[in-house]
Amino acid sequence: KQEVTQIPAALSVPEGENLVLNCSFTDSAIYNLQWFRQDPGKGLTSLLLIQSSQREQTSGRLNASLDKSSGRSTLYIAASQPGDSATYLCAVSGDTGGFKTIFGAGTRLFVKA
Amino acid sequence: NAGVMQNPRHLVRRRGQEARLRCSPMKGHSHVYWYRQLPEEGLKFMVYLQKENIIDESGMPKERFSAEFPKEGPSILRIQQVVRGDSAAYFCASSRTGENTEAFFGQGTRLTVV
């Protein structure tokens, strides 16, 4: 059974700091891994999707890496801003359990001005 | 191409009433997934459907909850005789096929049971 764990559960940093969010998963037989952003009371915004054959994806100040063999992914946020404050969710899709996406519990990020 | 559309965005029901949540997948998508997010928790898988078929309902509570995805029209998540513990955000996602394709998520329906 696939399980996804995100560390830390919560993070508070001053504006401008570079930071790393961690995600680990127990079954390496995945098709893709996705990072989402969720603002309080809102829906999901897809940030980055990494296919299983890829090692990383970049979008603006965000960079996500994937190490399938070790079951790990990191989301790197450069030069953090107060507008980055949100919950960041890691999710994997794979053959385990039949293609459904399994989510981590999220990392709640607060960037102080 | 509109994204995944969920309605209503907010739904208030009294205990014992029925709640119907609708999800229209993206055009060309025939796979639909429902997730529930309880307050302060992550998203939990409920059910995976293709047109007219339930593929995986391992995350669905055994009683009061049902889902369908008819040949025509949106997917419906139905909760009968709602209780306060059903209050949550319910998200729908769709994908073109099941394997190795990206799932796109709707904005969710926030159900409040009073």
Side-chain angles (χ1 to χ4, degrees):
Chain A
K1 179 186 173 186
Q2 179 73 275
E3 293 183 1
V4 180
T5 303
Q6 291 187 245
I7 294 173
L11 183 62
S12 180
V13 300
E15 182 178 7
E17 194 161 298
N18 301 325
L19 55 99
V20 174
L21 308 183
N22 296 292
C23 172
S24 61
F25 46 95
T26 55
D27 189 334
S28 61
I30 65 170
Y31 292 131
N32 59 55
L33 182 144
Q34 202 162 357
W35 284 92
F36 293 88
R37 170 185 172 140
Q38 185 176 33
D39 292 281
K42 303 292 185 183
L44 303 177
T45 300
S46 179
L47 298 174
L48 291 164
L49 171 74
I50 312 176
Q51 300 289 357
S52 61
S53 58
Q54 298 173 322
R55 298 282 294 185
E56 66 176 344
Q57 284 286 341
T58 298
S59 176
R61 294 183 293 109
L62 304 179
N63 175 275
S65 67
L66 173 63
D67 184 342
K68 216 174 73 162
S69 60
S70 68
R72 295 180 189 278
S73 175
T74 60
L75 178 65
Y76 175 81
I77 303 177
S80 57
Q81 303 170 358
D84 294 331
S85 299
T87 295
Y88 291 81
L89 298 168
C90 170
V92 298
S93 298
D95 192 28
T96 302
F99 311 127
K100 56 183 177 280
T101 301
I102 307 296
F103 283 82
T107 293
R108 283 189 297 279
L109 173 65
F110 179 62
V111 181
K112 297 172 285 188
Chain B
N1 187 7
V4 178
M5 303 301 293
Q6 290 189 248
N7 66 82
R9 292 292 306 277
H10 300 275
L11 181 62
V12 179
R13 284 287 177 265
R14 296 186 184 279
R15 281 179 294 171
Q17 291 185 319
E18 178 180 286
R20 280 180 177 250
L21 288 63
R22 287 177 290 279
C23 170
S24 296
M26 287 181 67
K27 187 177 180 180
H29 287 194
S30 59
H31 296 246
V32 166
Y33 314 78
W34 284 94
Y35 292 80
R36 177 166 65 174
Q37 185 177 35
L38 294 169
E40 304 300 319
E41 294 188 14
L43 277 77
K44 302 294 185 186
F45 168 79
M46 298 182 74
V47 61
Y48 164 32
L49 310 102
Q50 293 181 36
K51 283 287 187 180
E52 300 183 274
N53 290 304
I54 295 175
I55 306 303
D56 181 350
E57 55 181 350
S58 57
M60 285 272 274
K62 294 291 185 286
E63 298 178 350
R64 302 187 297 108
F65 285 73
S66 63
E68 62 177 13
F69 188 17
K71 188 176 180 181
E72 302 291 337
S75 175
I76 305 289
L77 179 67
R78 182 182 177 205
I79 311 173
Q80 295 178 288
Q81 299 176 330
V82 296
V83 300
R84 289 228 169 99
D86 297 332
S87 296
Y90 292 83
F91 290 93
C92 168
S94 74
S95 64
R96 188 175 300 279
T97 67
E99 181 176 341
N100 204 21
T101 58
E102 183 177 1
F104 294 83
F105 282 78
Q107 290 300 298
T109 293
R110 275 161 184 78
L111 172 65
T112 302
V113 179
V114 297

